[in-house]
Structure formats: C-alpha cells, structure tokens
Amino acid sequence: MSGHWHTALACALTGEALPLPEPGGPDPAVLVADLVAAGWTRERIADHARAEAAAERAWPHPVPAGLREGCGAAQFAAALTSVRRELDLVTLETRPPSARRRLTADELRLLREVPPHHVG
C-alpha cells in the first residue's frame, strides 16, 4: 500500500493536514500515538468530534482528494473505521432503544397498503 494514509486519516479526524510519519500503510495504534505526540489526544479528538456533530458539521471531516491520493476509497473507509475503534469513537453518543408508541394514521395506512401484484 502506498499513499499518505496517516496524513489523510488524521485530516479526517482533526480537520488538519498534519505532517505525520508514514509507515507505508494504515496502522491505527501507531497513528493514535502519532496524533497524541502532535497534541491530538484521544480526549481532544472526541471533544472535537462531538463539537462538530453539535454544530451540525460533518465528522469525520471530508478529506481533500490530493491528500487521499494512493488510498483506495474502500480501504480508506476500513482504515478510518479501525482508527475510530482504536479511539473508542465508533459512535459519538449511545442512546437507549426507542420506547414503543402508537402508530400514526399515516403509518397505519401505509401498513394496510398492498402492492397491486399481491391483490388476489
């Protein structure tokens, strides 16, 4: 694998193009250690992610194409998921299951609708 994996992943997490060492492929543990060394602790990244979500801005941040060069889209998404798991940021908030409630009239109507090929 070639490309600037850690720089691109760091940009997705922090919104900044940080000059990080490139190990030749994504390594979540090494990336997290490099981010901490650059001043982006786990807590700072988590706070940043929650602040972006609260402000209704995209997080992880979109990464410019030039920064992602050499990083395949699917591999990048998988690497980002691995780093988020390493940071314990797979989800930004945990909510309890929704409580049961009565269906609205529109929801009941939709449940009663049957496609034409099912009418016999």
Side-chain angles (χ1 to χ4, degrees):
M1 288 183 180
S2 62
H4 300 285
W5 286 95
H6 284 192
T7 301
L9 291 166
C11 181
L13 297 169
T14 67
E16 298 178 10
L18 301 170
L20 298 177
E22 293 295 338
D27 186 330
V30 170
L31 174 58
V32 169
D34 289 344
L35 285 169
V36 168
W40 282 91
T41 63
R42 294 171 186 263
E43 296 78 20
R44 182 177 176 196
I45 293 170
D47 291 344
H48 174 72
R50 289 185 184 96
E52 292 296 298
E56 298 182 0
R57 290 187 294 263
W59 189 90
H61 297 281
V63 179
L67 228 58
R68 286 190 329 265
E69 190 173 335
C71 307
Q75 293 89 350
F76 184 80
L80 185 57
T81 298
S82 295
V83 174
R84 288 181 66 177
R85 194 174 298 120
E86 180 78 21
L87 290 167
D88 215 11
L89 278 176
V90 176
T91 58
L92 296 181
E93 68 178 291
T94 304
R95 295 182 180 182
S98 300
R100 294 190 69 114
R101 62 174 181 76
R102 282 195 165 315
L103 296 177
T104 66
D106 284 336
E107 291 167 332
L108 289 169
R109 179 185 51 77
L110 287 171
L111 282 174
R112 285 191 299 272
E113 282 186 7
V114 179
H117 62 280
H118 284 273
V119 177

